[in-house]
Amino acid sequence: MPVSLSAISMFKIMFLAVEILFFSSILLAKASPSQSHFSKFSRSSGGLSHKEAILSLCAHTPHRATCESTLLSCSSSSSSTRGSDHLPHTLEGAFVQSVHSTVAKAQHARALAYNLTISHRQNADHDVHFPGRGVNDCLELLDDAIDMLDNVMMTSLSKPNDDDVHTWLSAALTNQETCLESLEKDKFQTEKNIMDVTAQNLSQYISNSLALFVLTMGSSSVSFASSSEHLPRDTESKSKEAKNANPNRRLLASDSSFPTWVPASERKLLEASVGEIEADAVVAQDGSGTHKSIGEAVKGLLLIGSLESSGTSTGGRSVIYVKAGTYHEYINIPTKQKNVMLIGDGVGKTIIVGNRNSDDGWTTYKSATVAAMGDGFIARDITFVNDAGPSKHQAVALRVGADKSVVHRCSIIGYQDTLYTHSKRQFYRETDIYGTVDFIFGNSAVVFQTCNIHPRKPPSSGLKNFVTAQGRSSPNQNTGISIHNCKIAAASDLFPVRSSYETYLGRPWQQYSRTIIMQSFMDDSINRAGWSPWSGGSALNTLYYGEYMNSGSGASTSGRVKWGGYHASLTSTQAEAFTVGGFISGNLWLPSTGVSFSSGLIG
C-alpha cells in the first residue's frame, strides 16, 4: 500500500530525530570518549579510519556485504568533499543507522505485499476459497514487524530498554522467517518468487541490526559463529533481578505489591472473579450478552476505539467475557488491538473450536482457531481446540505473537502443532496442553509454569510424539522454551499403550533451537534418549537443550542423547537464567496481569 502523507510526515520527523542523534553521537565521540556500552566501536577502532572501522565491525555481522552497504551508504549519497564525516562514529550510531535502513526496507516490503494481495483480488475473484495465500501472511507479519521496528527507533531516541529492544528485533526476524515458510505453500509462483526475495533481503537487514544490538549489550568480542552455550546475553543482570525479588516467593494475583504504575482499576479487575468484572463485551449464544459471537465482540471493540481509551473503567484493558458454550469460529486479534482479555466460564465450559489445517490448504500460521498478535493479550478459563484430527498434519488451536501475554487456567487441544508460541514474551500458568507432533512450537521467549503437558496417541503405529519444536534461528535471538515445575505425562488415550509409541521431549526445528525443562515431572512415556534429531540430524551441536532437577520415571538422564548442545545437568545458575525473572523479565510485567507465578527456581 502506498504510504500516506501522514505516514510520510511521521517518517520524516523520525528520520530528522535519528539524524540529530547520529551527528550528536559523532560530536560526543570526538569530544570525549564515553565509557558507555555504545562507545566500544570508537574506542576499539584504534588508528583505523572510520571506513576501515566500519568494515571491521561488519565482519562481526551475519551478512557482511549488506552491513557494509548499509553503513557506508550515507557517504556515497553525499558529496565527495564531505565523505567519511557522514559515517557512524560510534557503535550506537551504526546500530541506529542499521535500524533506520531496516525500517525503509520493511516499508517497501509491506507496500509490495499489499499490492500483490490487491492484484490477486482483482484478477482472481472467481477463486472464492483459496486459503493458502502466503503473501497474506507476509502482509500481516510485516505490519507487526514495522510496529516493532518503530518501537526500536523511538526507544533508541530515549532511554533504551535492552530487553524490549532485544525482544522486538528477535520477533521481527521471526516474522520474516514465518513469511518465507508461508510462501512455500503459495500457488502463485511469480508472486511467491518476488515476495520471497524481498523477505529474504529484509531478513538480512533485521539480522544485522540484531547483531549490532547484541554488540552494544556489553560484549567487545562477540562471535556470531555457533556457540554451545546460548545462554541469554544478559543472564547476569536478570539473575540478580530474580534474586533481589526473592525467587522462592510465590507471587499471587491477590498480592498487594503491584508496581506503582499499575492503575488501581486494573488491580481490581485482575483480582476479581468473573461475576465482579464489568466487561466491555459479553458474548452469549442465547442472546443474553452484547454479542452472539466472539469475533463480533473483538471487531466491535476495535471499531469503537475503546482499546485506545485510557478513561475506561478497566484502566485501558478491553475485557471480553465469553459465557459457557461451544463457539465454532476463528478469532484474530491483530497487532493494533492491544490489551485484550478473554475470560470464559472455565475449562470445558467455554470452548472455541476450529478445524483449519495444512492438508486443506491453510498455512500453519493461518490454521489457528484463535490468534492473538496484540500486545498484552490475556486468556483465562477457556478451552481452545483444533479438531481437524491427527491425520491432517499442521493444525493450530492457539497462536500467540503478543508481547507480555498470559494464558492462565486454559486448555489447548489438538494434535500436530497445537500451540504456536510464535514470538515475543509469553507466560502460561496452570494450563493443559494436548498434542502429538511438535505440539508446543514457535520462537517466542516463553515460560510454562505448573502446566500439564499431555502427549496423545498417534494416529497409527510407527509414528512418534514430539512435545516441543523450538524455532530459534539466530544465536542472537533471546528466545526459547522454558518448562518449569510442570507435569509431562501421557494423555488418557496414550497411557494404556504408551510402550508401543516413542515420545520425545523435543526436536530442533531450527539451528539454534533452545529448550529447557526444569523441576518438572516426567512419566515413563518419555523415551530414554529424551530428545530426537530433526530429519537430517542437523543442529545437534548448535542447539541448547538442558534439564535441571526433574523427577519421575522419565526424568533419568543416564540414557539421554550425547549431542554437543545437550546439557544433562544444568547448574542452578544456568537454570536460573530460564526462570520467569531470568528469561522473560516477568517480575517487571507479570504482577500487573494478576496471574500467580514463581519468579525463580523452586525451593
Side-chain angles (χ1 to χ4, degrees), residues 22-86:
F22 191 63
F23 289 116
S24 297
S25 67
I26 293 174
L27 293 174
L28 287 172
K30 290 180 177 179
S32 60
S34 169
Q35 297 302 307
S36 74
H37 62 282
F38 285 127
S39 64
K40 287 187 171 61
F41 176 36
S42 58
R43 288 189 283 112
S44 63
S45 58
L48 299 177
S49 68
H50 293 309
K51 182 175 180 179
E52 290 171 332
I54 287 173
L55 296 178
S56 177
L57 174 66
C58 287
H60 294 286
T61 62
H63 305 284
R64 182 172 182 172
T66 300
C67 174
E68 292 173 358
S69 173
T70 300
L71 299 185
L72 295 174
S73 61
C74 57
S75 64
S76 63
S77 62
S78 61
S79 66
S80 59
T81 58
R82 298 167 76 179
S84 64
D85 286 344
H86 286 259

Side-chain angles (χ1 to χ4, degrees), residues 37-321:
H37 62 282
F38 285 127
S39 64
K40 287 187 171 61
F41 176 36
S42 58
R43 288 189 283 112
S44 63
S45 58
L48 299 177
S49 68
H50 293 309
K51 182 175 180 179
E52 290 171 332
I54 287 173
L55 296 178
S56 177
L57 174 66
C58 287
H60 294 286
T61 62
H63 305 284
R64 182 172 182 172
T66 300
C67 174
E68 292 173 358
S69 173
T70 300
L71 299 185
L72 295 174
S73 61
C74 57
S75 64
S76 63
S77 62
S78 61
S79 66
S80 59
T81 58
R82 298 167 76 179
S84 64
D85 286 344
H86 286 259
L87 299 178
H89 287 58
T90 66
L91 184 52
E92 179 185 26
F95 168 67
V96 171
Q97 183 174 328
S98 178
V99 176
H100 175 71
S101 298
T102 302
V103 170
K105 290 291 182 181
Q107 292 283 7
H108 168 75
R110 200 267 178 202
L112 174 63
Y114 179 81
N115 289 332
L116 289 175
T117 58
I118 292 297
S119 174
H120 178 263
R121 289 172 190 168
Q122 292 174 342
N123 298 325
D125 288 337
H126 62 280
D127 193 359
V128 177
H129 178 70
F130 185 72
R133 296 301 322 288
V135 70
N136 291 339
D137 293 5
C138 292
L139 180 59
E140 180 178 323
L141 289 159
L142 282 163
D143 281 336
D144 186 61
I146 290 170
D147 185 70
M148 290 184 289
L149 290 170
D150 285 345
N151 287 341
V152 172
M153 292 288 287
M154 298 306 295
T155 301
S156 297
L157 299 175
S158 58
K159 183 179 180 180
N161 182 316
D162 282 356
D163 197 48
D164 285 346
V165 175
H166 204 172
T167 295
W168 295 329
L169 290 173
S170 295
L173 181 57
T174 297
N175 281 6
Q176 299 320 299
E177 291 160 351
T178 305
C179 166
L180 291 168
E181 292 158 12
S182 293
L183 286 172
E184 293 178 3
K185 294 184 68 68
D186 205 311
K187 297 180 181 180
F188 295 87
Q189 195 64 38
T190 301
E191 297 177 4
K192 172 183 176 180
N193 292 341
I194 294 172
M195 198 67 228
D196 190 274
V197 171
T198 303
Q200 288 192 43
N201 182 254
L202 177 57
S203 292
Q204 291 187 9
Y205 277 80
I206 297 172
S207 185
N208 281 348
S209 294
L210 177 60
L212 290 172
F213 175 74
V214 170
L215 280 173
T216 73
M217 293 175 66
S219 175
S220 59
S221 57
V222 175
S223 170
F224 295 100
S226 62
S227 166
S228 64
E229 286 303 316
H230 300 302
L231 290 174
R233 300 271 181 191
D234 48 353
T235 294
E236 183 177 353
S237 61
K238 286 187 177 181
S239 294
K240 286 180 179 177
E241 174 192 276
K243 291 176 181 177
N244 291 339
N246 188 356
N248 297 325
R249 172 170 162 258
R250 189 183 185 207
L251 302 177
L252 303 173
S254 58
D255 197 318
S256 61
S257 59
F258 282 97
T260 56
W261 45 264
V262 180
S265 57
E266 182 119 328
R267 301 179 209 183
K268 180 179 179 181
L269 165 68
L270 296 169
E271 292 172 356
S273 65
V274 170
E276 297 172 312
I277 292 174
E278 184 177 345
D280 296 280
V282 178
V283 181
Q285 293 175 324
D286 62 5
S288 61
T290 58
H291 301 81
K292 287 188 176 182
S293 76
I294 305 167
E296 289 175 356
V298 170
K299 291 177 182 178
L301 290 177
L302 180 61
L303 287 174
I304 65 176
S306 61
L307 294 179
E308 299 297 329
S309 173
S310 60
T312 60
S313 61
T314 58
R317 183 176 297 281
S318 287
V319 180
I320 301 174
Y321 167 41

Side-chain angles (χ1 to χ4, degrees), residues 465-486:
N465 286 332
F466 307 96
V467 175
T468 67
Q470 205 281 324
R472 184 167 172 255
S473 63
S474 166
N476 295 315
Q477 290 177 308
N478 63 347
T479 56
I481 294 173
S482 175
I483 297 174
H484 184 203
N485 193 28
C486 294

Side-chain angles (χ1 to χ4, degrees), residues 247-254 347 377-382 384 398 400 405-412 419 421 426-433 440 446-453 482-487 519 579-581 584 587 589-590 593-602:
N248 297 325
R249 172 170 162 258
R250 189 183 185 207
L251 302 177
L252 303 173
S254 58
V347 167
F377 170 74
I378 298 176
R380 196 182 91 185
D381 299 323
I382 295 176
F384 303 94
L398 176 65
V400 180
S405 54
V406 174
V407 177
H408 185 208
R409 295 201 312 245
C410 289
S411 185
I412 309 168
L419 173 59
T421 61
Q426 305 181 22
F427 180 67
Y428 294 74
R429 176 86 180 189
E430 298 171 33
T431 290
D432 302 330
I433 307 153
I440 299 174
V446 58
V447 176
F448 295 86
Q449 239 176 43
T450 61
C451 293
N452 294 310
I453 299 171
S482 175
I483 297 174
H484 184 203
N485 193 28
C486 294
K487 179 181 179 181
Q519 297 184 315
T579 60
V580 164
I584 59 173
N587 295 337
W589 59 274
L590 277 174
T593 68
V595 68
S596 304
F597 69 95
S598 297
S599 62
L601 296 173
I602 307 299

